[in-house]
Amino acid sequence: MEIVNTEDMRKMDAEAIHEYGIPGIILMEHAAMAVMDYIREHVAKDSRIMILCGPGNNGGDGFALARLMVEEGYSHVRIHCSVPYDRMSHDEAVYARIAESYGIEIMRTQDMEMIKPALDEAQVVVDALFGTGLSRDIEGFYDVLILYLNLLNKHVISIDIASGVNGDTGSIMNCAVQSDVTITFECLKRGQLLYPGSSYCKDIIVKNITLPKAVKANIEHSIHLLDEDTVRAFLPKRDAHSHKGSFGRVMMVGGSSYMHGAITLAAKAALQSGTGTLTLFLPDCISEIISMKLEESMLLPAPSMNGSFSMISVDLLKRNLNAYDMITIGNGMGRGEVTQAMVRAVLESDRPCLLDGDALYEAGKLMELLHRPAVTILTPHPKEMSYLCGCSVKEVLKDPLQCAMEFVKRYENTVLVLKDQHTIICRKDDMYMNTAGNHALAKGGSGDVLCGILTGLYTQGKEALQAAAAAVYVHACAADELIQRMDAYSIQPGDLIAVLSDTYGKLKR
């Protein structure tokens, strides 16, 4: 499934109309038929239905839907549209006149005291006010109308996108319709999946309106939605004629006396995800604790001071880097000059590496070192992304997709995993988004588990983007599996590790 921006969707429609000769009015009819498919299955024919139509083609979809509903025996259909014919698009005006000829009641007033009783009476409201092309804040009458609708707690169906949600960034353009379901066409839109737009569009159903296949193939800036089939293909294959060295030698650098759980979780997840051999480079003050918690990994204790690595440890790290196929660094290390020196040593090496946790904070001071020939995998949440970009968290969240794309264009051998409600996984010219998972993942240690999963998958296949995308999806699916039998309050990061085997097994079927 592709995720597109509004400009690409506009180009697709234009190409279908001008290059293939498909009239826009036909596309509008197909959009209405797609929404009708949902209504036929979910809305009773005796329901009282109000369709809110605005200016433009989104409103035209609403008018076309009204005709189809009446034809199918829906007997209580009412339309609100205060847009005069001379301000409608050509295609909307055609369907508005058709709806009028069918005798469907069309309320044309902007007097809210007259509209409120009709909305109060409605059981289902169809939002056909503004589509993805909305370019300015909603004000005046429509602002009042939407706010009143949101107070009523009606079953709301939005056509293409919840009106008021920016189709590219997910930002709210002063106000937005709170939908229960959004019926969109051909492709997902970025704004439907990015917060806060995702919380307004709710359940999203993608329907085909028979655009030519070649039109979709020409999309320039699409993002791939991760799904089970994609991830199944990304999971590394294990040859029966192999040995532990075939699946990678990993050094994991991290830990401290006050955060030894972080590296423990990462290590366990890496081992559960197929790593061949795992060596933990950690402060000697926690080596005894870790040795009791992890029997399957090797330990390389380094001199410590005050519960963390001492500066002497940096030379020991440098001497050992070349013995490993991948270096993972950051889990539970803490910040400071020693961590920064270790991150520098890793980035200056020729080893593929993964930076997580505190390593990301220090990497924000060493950005020139990301221009390196070996692959670098970064796994920031928005706050950590702000360290790497040198901007505020607010700026990252304003348009995380654009932020991620600009970042990987600057650092060509970098794979970025920008963790959020819907995680973005990208490298230059290639991007995925994950929508699986749930809020049980919003706990300390969850990111360490993801780091370990990614480490294990990369060392087996050596495909950084595929490993990152698969790891995010596996991590999310483990959480989705757990929430079927545990409450989100109680799901712990260790529980994710416990179900990894089952998760991998299901994905491989």
Side-chain angles (χ1 to χ4, degrees):
M1 178 66 69
E2 302 302 303
I3 305 165
V4 301
N5 63 25
T6 56
E7 177 61 17
D8 281 331
M9 196 67 225
R10 186 195 64 76
K11 288 179 179 178
M12 288 167 62
D13 287 341
E15 187 175 347
I17 292 167
H18 299 297
E19 299 297 325
Y20 289 86
I22 302 173
I25 201 164
I26 296 297
L27 297 179
M28 189 170 285
E29 178 81 0
H30 287 182
M33 290 167 66
V35 180
M36 190 68 225
D37 286 344
Y38 173 85
I39 288 176
R40 189 181 297 115
E41 186 174 347
H42 295 91
V43 179
K45 288 190 175 181
D46 60 354
S47 299
R48 293 182 295 279
I49 299 159
M50 169 69 85
I51 303 175
L52 303 177
C53 296
N57 289 340
N58 199 247
D61 295 342
F63 279 113
L65 173 65
R67 181 188 73 84
L68 294 177
M69 294 183 74
V70 170
E71 284 286 356
E72 294 213 15
Y74 286 80
S75 53
H76 303 291
V77 179
R78 179 184 279 175
I79 297 171
H80 175 271
C81 182
S82 61
V83 182
Y85 279 109
D86 60 1
R87 289 183 54 205
M88 292 180 179
S89 70
H90 172 270
D91 293 344
E92 181 184 20
V94 168
Y95 275 109
R97 289 190 171 94
I98 291 173
E100 198 168 36
S101 72
Y102 267 68
I104 300 169
E105 180 185 352
I106 302 174
M107 299 181 67
R108 300 190 178 278
T109 181
Q110 290 196 356
D111 184 344
M112 281 302 300
E113 294 308 311
M114 295 180 66
I115 298 168
K116 283 179 181 180
L119 283 174
D120 292 344
E121 182 183 317
Q123 295 167 296
V124 176
V125 177
V126 177
D127 160 31
L129 289 171
F130 304 103
T132 56
L134 183 65
S135 59
R136 60 181 184 272
D137 282 354
I138 295 173
E139 297 175 339
F141 165 72
Y142 289 111
D143 180 21
V144 176
L145 176 65
I146 290 171
L147 292 176
Y148 185 76
L149 171 62
N150 289 345
L151 291 173
L152 296 179
N153 197 30
K154 301 290 184 181
H155 181 69
V156 178
I157 302 164
S158 284
I159 297 180
D160 206 16
I161 196 166
S163 292
V165 173
N166 184 290
D168 287 329
T169 68
S171 61
I172 304 306
M173 304 180 77
N174 188 48
C175 69
V177 171
Q178 187 69 66
S179 298
D180 295 289
V181 61
T182 298
I183 313 294
T184 196
F185 310 119
E186 295 291 345
C187 302
L188 288 161
K189 315 307 184 294
R190 295 181 183 183
Q192 295 165 343
L193 303 177
L194 295 172
Y195 185 82
S198 57
S199 64
Y200 284 79
C201 294
K202 289 288 181 63
D203 294 335
I204 303 167
I205 299 171
V206 182
K207 293 283 190 178
N208 193 300
I209 57 172
T210 63
L211 287 181
K213 291 180 180 178
V215 168
K216 293 176 73 172
N218 292 334
I219 301 172
E220 294 181 7
H221 308 105
S222 69
I223 302 161
H224 313 291
L225 179 70
L226 282 179
D227 58 27
E228 192 170 307
D229 289 339
T230 302
V231 172
R232 184 179 293 112
F234 284 175
L235 289 175
K237 307 299 185 290
R238 293 174 70 93
D239 193 330
H241 185 69
S242 56
H243 53 83
K244 62 185 179 184
S246 305
F247 304 121
R249 295 176 295 274
V250 175
M251 174 188 276
M252 191 170 280
V253 183
S256 59
S257 62
Y258 46 93
M259 284 191 290
H260 51 78
I263 195 168
T264 303
L265 290 167
K268 287 183 176 180
L271 292 166
Q272 284 278 356
S273 297
T275 292
T277 66
L278 177 63
T279 299
L280 304 184
F281 187 93
L282 41 73
D284 57 15
C285 61
I286 64 169
S287 60
E288 187 174 342
I289 297 172
I290 298 298
S291 65
M292 289 189 291
K293 295 201 287 184
L294 287 165
E295 296 178 340
E296 298 88 349
S297 61
M298 294 171 280
L299 305 185
L300 183 51
S304 62
M305 179 180 293
N306 299 325
S308 301
F309 289 109
S310 71
M311 190 60 79
I312 302 171
S313 301
V314 179
D315 288 334
L316 180 62
L317 176 64
K318 290 178 180 178
R319 292 198 301 271
N320 283 277
L321 288 175
N322 288 337
Y324 299 93
D325 301 314
M326 182 186 189
I327 312 298
T328 296
I329 181 169
N331 306 92
M333 287 181 74
R335 301 172 183 177
E337 60 178 349
V338 178
T339 297
Q340 186 176 138
M342 287 185 163
V343 172
R344 177 182 287 278
V346 171
L347 291 176
E348 287 179 342
S349 76
D350 63 354
R351 302 289 89 181
C353 65
L354 189 162
L355 274 57
D356 190 43
D358 294 318
L360 294 167
Y361 175 81
E362 299 300 343
K365 305 171 188 176
L366 305 168
M367 295 305 293
E368 72 282 357
L369 298 181
L370 291 183
H371 297 288
R372 59 195 299 265
V375 68
T376 308
I377 304 172
L378 307 174
T379 57
H381 53 59
K383 179 64 174 175
E384 291 164 339
M385 190 67 189
S386 74
Y387 305 146
L388 298 171
C389 294
C391 63
S392 68
V393 178
K394 185 176 181 180
E395 289 174 290
V396 173
L397 293 175
K398 183 178 180 181
D399 194 345
L401 284 169
Q402 190 64 30
C403 178
M405 284 190 286
E406 290 177 358
F407 186 88
V408 293
K409 283 179 181 177
R410 291 197 299 271
Y411 304 102
E412 292 194 13
N413 286 326
T414 296
V415 170
L416 178 69
V417 178
L418 180 51
K419 300 179 292 192
D420 204 356
Q421 178 197 15
H422 293 154
T423 293
I424 300 162
I425 308 102
C426 60
R427 68 180 174 198
K428 187 180 180 182
D429 299 326
D430 215 350
M431 180 174 286
Y432 292 86
M433 182 181 284
N434 174 62
T435 59
N438 58 72
H439 51 86
L441 292 172
K443 291 180 180 174
S446 177
D448 299 303
V449 175
L450 173 61
C451 173
I453 295 171
L454 207 168
T455 297
L457 295 181
Y458 174 76
T459 54
Q460 294 173 87
K462 307 299 190 295
E463 292 286 344
L465 182 68
Q466 292 184 10
V472 169
Y473 191 80
V474 166
H475 185 245
C477 285
D480 284 341
E481 169 69 21
L482 286 167
I483 210 164
Q484 299 301 314
R485 46 193 168 88
M486 294 176 66
D487 190 84
Y489 286 179
S490 304
I491 296 171
Q492 298 300 310
D495 297 323
L496 299 170
I497 298 170
V499 298
L500 281 178
S501 179
D502 289 343
T503 303
Y504 286 123
K506 288 177 182 178
L507 285 171
K508 289 177 183 178
R509 288 175 189 163

